[in-house]
Structure formats: C-alpha cells, structure tokens
C-alpha cells in the first residue's frame, strides 16, 4: 500500500506493508501493531523477524510496517522533512475503515530513530493504546 503525501511541495508515495494472517477470522476484531524502523532502515526490515511473523501467523494481530521518507523519521534534525504525524494519521484513518480492525487496540513499537518517533507520537497524539520503544522491541 502507498500513501500520497506532500513533502517539500512535491507529492510522494510513501510505502506501508500490511501483514496479516492468511485466513483471518471474520468474527474477530484484530489489534494493530505498527513497527517503526531505525534510521537508515525500511518497513520491510521487520518482515524477516520470525517472532513477529509467528504472532501474525497465529492471528494475534495485524502488523503495519511503514517506511520513513529518506529511510528516516522526521524528528527535526533528520534527513526526512516529512510530516510523519500526518502520515501515520492517514494510515490509521484508512485502517479504521476496515471492519475487522479493533479500533481500541492500536499499538506502536519502534527502535532507534523509530523509537524516538514512537515517543513523539505518544506525546503529541492519541493514536495508540500503548507504545514500546526499545533496542529489542519484543521484550
């Protein structure tokens, strides 16, 4: 999935990977977990994590893996000058249109530059029920 965003006066397509169980239960509302990469990374860097894939495969949650503009999240001093709060808001708005999403259980995990973004989002928005920032996001 791509989300268009105006960055420095130019419309850019920003990539988001959505990873869910192959056979979703239509009677279940799935929590959403956003995974934010570190500086120089990409959303797809998380895809090879066997623990995350296992939990998604078991239907525990749907994983959202956005990529920062210029492989970075904008914290004011990074390569990216994109408005990441608006970017994440647009992703959440589109997800909330899905009937299988538990709108009350949206979470965020981040490492390094992504951890800083998670903390910024936690401080400046009410997007997430809970956040986790760590060098090891699953502990």
């Amino acid at each position: 999935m791509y989300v268009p965003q105006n960055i420095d006066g130019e419309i850019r397509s920003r990539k988001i990977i959505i990873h869910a169980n192959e056979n979703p239960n239509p009677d279940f509302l799935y929590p959403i977990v956003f995974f934010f990469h570190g500086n120089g990374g990409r959303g797809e860097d998380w895809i090879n994590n066997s623990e995350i894939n296992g939990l998604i495969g078991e239907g525990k949650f749907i994983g959202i893996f956005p990529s920062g503009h210029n492989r970075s999240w904008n914290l004011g001093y990074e390569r990216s000058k994109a408005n990441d709060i608006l970017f994440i808001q647009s992703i959440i708005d589109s997800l909330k249109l899905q009937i299988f999403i538990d709108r009350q259980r949206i979470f965020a995990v981040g490492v390094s530059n992504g951890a800083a973004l998670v903390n910024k989002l936690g401080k400046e928005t009410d997007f997430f029920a809970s956040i986790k920032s760590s060098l090891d996001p699953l502990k």
Side-chain angles (χ1 to χ4, degrees):
M1 173 174 141
Y2 289 86
V3 171
Q5 185 177 26
N6 186 330
I7 302 171
D8 292 330
E10 195 173 320
I11 301 298
R12 306 281 182 140
S13 290
R14 298 195 57 191
K15 185 176 183 178
I16 301 102
I17 296 172
I18 300 172
H19 189 44
N21 180 299
E22 292 181 16
N23 300 305
N25 179 346
D27 298 323
F28 183 70
L29 293 178
Y30 289 90
I32 299 296
V33 180
F34 279 77
F35 292 89
F36 295 97
H37 62 78
N39 205 357
R42 300 169 302 165
E44 52 262 36
D45 294 344
W46 291 94
I47 297 299
N48 294 325
N49 183 299
S50 61
E51 192 169 359
I52 292 170
N53 278 324
L55 293 170
I56 291 171
E58 292 172 17
K60 302 291 186 190
F61 59 84
I62 295 171
I64 307 296
F65 306 90
S67 290
H69 179 64
N70 289 333
R71 300 181 116 186
S72 182
W73 301 108
N74 182 3
L75 302 170
Y77 50 85
E78 305 292 344
R79 292 185 307 250
S80 174
K81 299 304 175 208
N83 185 329
D84 289 318
I85 290 177
L86 286 178
F87 175 55
I88 303 308
Q89 176 70 60
S90 66
I91 297 169
I92 291 172
D93 287 347
S94 66
L95 289 172
K96 286 184 175 180
L97 298 175
Q98 305 301 318
I99 58 172
F100 53 85
I101 300 297
D102 186 340
R103 292 162 183 84
Q104 304 304 310
R105 295 191 301 159
I106 302 176
F107 306 96
V109 174
V111 295
S112 190
N113 176 242
L117 177 64
V118 165
N119 284 308
K120 178 181 174 80
L121 290 164
K123 180 180 173 185
E124 297 179 15
T125 74
D126 62 355
F127 297 163
F128 302 110
S130 180
I131 61 172
K132 171 76 170 152
S133 56
S134 169
L135 292 177
D136 187 351
L138 299 177
K139 297 206 180 328

